[in-house]
Amino acid sequence: MTLHAPYDPDNIFAKMLRGEIPYIKVYEDEDTLAFMDIFPQSDGHTLIIPKHVEARNLLEMPTEKLAPFIASVQKIARAVETALSPDGLIVTQFNGEAAGQTVFHLHMHVIPVYKDRPRQRGHATGKPADMDALKALAAKIAAAL
Ligand code: AMP
């Protein structure tokens, strides 16, 4: 897998968009879907993906579709701040395996940072989080939208 490869329609995020595998939804509109990362780096780690595109990364995203995508990223970041009161927020995105990307459908991470708690784990590692805890966090974030 490199920066330049065909889009795989069977990547897990594409499967979520087709409703083929479960996820914990935070927000959805015509252009985007936001859900909890099941290997969260901290409480509230949320992913935002664009719908109706076959873009593996930011470079492949049609420019005219960026605005609604970034608007949703900001919406989620604001809701995470309101719901969870972190001390900081990392908003990030990886392009290509060499850069750390593991799922090849464009997505943005919103990762809260809490001064009194070290980040729980590294990027995309370890065991999945407790699903009930993730659902409770998703409900809190959704209520702050
Ligand atoms: P990246 O490594 O930047 O491509 O990010 C992919 C993210 O997807 C990682 O943070 C993973 O923890 C997360 N992830 C992998 N599988 C799932 C899943 N089934 N549901 C939610 N998040 C997932």
Side-chain angles (χ1 to χ4, degrees):
M1 194 66 83
T2 71
L3 263 176
H4 302 287
Y7 179 85
D8 174 8
D10 285 327
N11 73 75
I12 51 170
F13 294 171
K15 287 183 176 174
M16 288 179 190
L17 286 170
R18 293 196 297 268
E20 293 170 6
I21 59 171
Y23 56 88
I24 299 174
K25 190 195 289 191
V26 173
Y27 173 74
E28 182 169 17
D29 62 22
E30 178 51 36
D31 300 299
T32 60
L33 175 67
F35 52 89
M36 302 310 290
D37 194 306
I38 53 164
F39 302 99
Q41 292 181 42
S42 66
D43 285 347
H45 184 169
T46 307
L47 300 172
I48 303 95
I49 63 175
K51 294 158 75 168
H52 317 301
V53 292
E54 293 197 341
R56 290 178 315 122
N57 54 46
L58 185 65
L59 286 65
E60 296 178 357
M61 181 69 168
T63 305
E64 69 277 9
K65 297 196 172 189
L66 276 175
F69 176 54
I70 295 298
S72 283
V73 173
Q74 185 191 51
K75 190 178 181 79
I76 295 301
R78 285 174 167 166
V80 167
E81 187 201 9
T82 303
L84 304 177
S85 303
D87 299 293
L89 269 180
I90 295 170
V91 178
T92 195
Q93 181 269 331
F94 301 92
N95 298 277
E97 196 171 16
Q101 187 175 6
T102 58
V103 179
F104 295 88
H105 179 105
L106 173 62
H107 52 281
M108 202 73 87
H109 298 256
V110 171
I111 305 171
V113 179
Y114 306 93
K115 275 199 284 200
D116 58 345
R117 294 177 242 170
R119 271 204 267 157
Q120 285 152 344
R121 66 175 92 215
H123 176 72
T125 59
K127 281 192 265 178
D130 176 80
M131 291 300 129
D132 288 337
L134 282 187
K135 283 179 190 164
L137 285 163
K140 266 183 113 168
I141 299 166
L145 282 164

